[in-house]
Amino acid sequence: MTLQTDLDRFLDNLRNGRNASPATCSEYGRDLARFRAFLEHDAIDDWSAVTADHVQRFVAAEHRRGLSGRSLARSLAAIRALFGWLLRENRVRFDPAADIRPPRSGRPLPHALEVEEVERLVSVPGTGPRECRDRALLELFYSSGLRLAELAGLDVTGVDLGEATARVLGKGQRERIVPLGGAARKALGDWLRARSEWADADEPALFISARGQRLSRRAIQARVAHWARRLGLPRNVHPHMLRHSFATHLLESSGDLRAVQELLGHADIATTQIYTHLDFSHLADVYERAHPRARRGNGGSSDGGE
């Protein structure tokens, strides 16, 4: 049987066997038609081959398309109802959507920048310490998807340019290793050379002010907003927008939701589902293949301010 044949039989049972309302049948039909198209795009032609990963990626794709938490909950309810019927018909052995929850309603995702907008933002002009620092922190936000607190808390010893990695401390004091793209490595190398003009020998912070002190979160936010305005980006840009752009662009390129979740250091992403741990070599491979600035260096260069 084709996926559509089973869907038709399920919807017929919904209408005539369970006496569901016409509105419910119509909504379930639309939701399941999108799910079927998603599966067929993945070359899935049998419901028994559907896994939790397929459902997770479908929910994430629908979330990125703008569906609310309530609409996603309805889509998941439709998928669970379908698989409940398939179980009773002995067509499948389990419900892959059983443990998946939708994103919470009322928490819209921040806007993501377009790749071209990110390219413009990180092209900070100038070669002085301030410009090198700002270019490096912008590249690092987008290169590795860091939270503001993670970037502000980075020490020099947390960055390994040779290995192209950074060690960050995330929420819940969870430490993770993130890869650095080629553009970020170059920008960080430039900044580390310029940093000596401001830093005392015993200062551990990676990003510092002209007074030699660790750059505060507020100051970092101000620098991001400053360069967005100066370089003509048509919206209010903040650090979390760069983190969200990292996740969006990488997910669109790779389709590997679990790897993106791991790179972000999330307990959940989009579907709030906790995924199995992926080893770093796999994450680095996904990053290298998919991130827009993984291989490119970026020149740079002036402005005042902190």
Side-chain angles (χ1 to χ4, degrees):
M1 295 184 184
T2 65
L3 297 183
Q4 186 60 55
T5 300
D6 281 328
L7 273 187
D8 291 340
R9 292 181 59 213
F10 165 71
L11 292 171
D12 182 67
N13 174 264
L14 196 65
R15 281 188 297 267
N16 302 314
R18 296 175 55 186
N19 295 317
S21 71
T24 296
C25 292
S26 177
E27 290 170 348
Y28 276 26
R30 287 195 299 270
D31 292 337
L32 292 171
R34 287 198 300 274
F35 186 46
R36 175 189 56 77
F38 178 86
L39 294 173
E40 290 177 344
H41 184 267
D42 265 13
I44 300 297
D45 59 5
D46 191 300
W47 294 110
S48 65
V50 178
T51 67
D53 184 64
H54 292 117
V55 180
Q56 289 159 357
R57 290 194 292 111
F58 171 70
V59 171
E62 293 289 274
H63 197 183
R64 294 196 305 277
R65 200 167 65 85
L67 264 66
S68 67
R70 179 172 298 181
S71 295
L72 292 171
R74 188 196 63 219
S75 291
L76 279 170
I79 294 171
R80 291 190 188 105
L82 168 65
F83 275 90
W85 176 80
L86 290 168
L87 280 164
R88 291 191 295 275
E89 294 287 310
N90 294 316
R91 300 279 290 109
V92 298
R93 291 178 294 176
F94 68 98
D95 176 5
D99 297 323
I100 296 174
R101 295 173 292 152
R104 292 187 292 273
S105 297
R107 244 184 114 186
L109 286 173
H111 294 294
L113 296 170
E114 300 295 333
V115 172
E116 294 76 14
E117 291 176 319
V118 176
E119 295 279 0
R120 192 189 318 170
L121 179 61
V122 299
S123 61
V124 172
T127 57
R130 183 172 285 106
E131 292 75 38
C132 288
R133 180 200 65 191
D134 290 355
R135 189 161 51 248
L137 68 84
L138 287 166
E139 284 282 10
L140 192 53
F141 269 132
Y142 180 62
S143 167
S144 303
L146 299 189
R147 297 179 177 95
L148 173 59
E150 292 169 347
L151 185 136
L154 264 178
D155 290 337
V156 173
T157 55
V159 173
D160 188 332
L161 296 184
E163 293 294 324
T165 61
R167 186 176 66 253
V168 301
L169 194 63
K171 288 185 176 180
Q173 298 298 296
R174 290 189 298 269
E175 188 177 85
R176 72 184 188 281
I177 305 295
V178 297
L180 301 175
R185 288 173 69 190
K186 181 181 186 306
L188 283 166
D190 292 342
W191 162 237
L192 287 172
R193 286 187 290 274
R195 178 181 173 278
S196 60
E197 297 183 27
W198 290 350
D200 292 334
D202 59 349
E203 173 54 56
L206 176 61
F207 292 110
I208 60 174
S209 70
R211 294 186 296 275
Q213 300 169 338
R214 184 182 296 271
L215 207 61
S216 71
R217 299 182 196 182
R218 188 180 296 275
I220 293 170
Q221 289 173 313
R223 299 313 296 164
V224 172
H226 165 80
W227 287 111
R229 290 192 303 271
R230 173 165 175 182
L231 297 171
L233 269 70
R235 63 184 88 189
N236 294 324
V237 178
H238 50 82
H240 193 68
M241 186 179 288
L242 286 168
R243 175 173 162 85
H244 183 58
S245 301
F246 161 87
T248 300
H249 299 164
L250 190 54
L251 189 56
E252 287 174 350
S253 299
S254 71
D256 196 329
L257 187 62
R258 289 180 297 176
V260 174
Q261 178 265 336
E262 191 82 4
L263 286 164
L264 286 171
H266 271 172
D268 50 36
I269 184 172
T271 64
T272 72
Q273 178 72 13
I274 297 176
Y275 302 109
T276 56
H277 177 72
L278 301 176
D279 61 51
F280 183 76
S281 62
H282 170 67
L283 300 181
D285 180 62
V286 169
Y287 178 90
E288 182 69 16
R289 286 187 286 104
H291 194 278
R293 293 179 68 77
R295 295 184 184 85
R296 277 176 281 174
N298 191 37
S301 86
S302 94
D303 208 321
E306 179 51 43

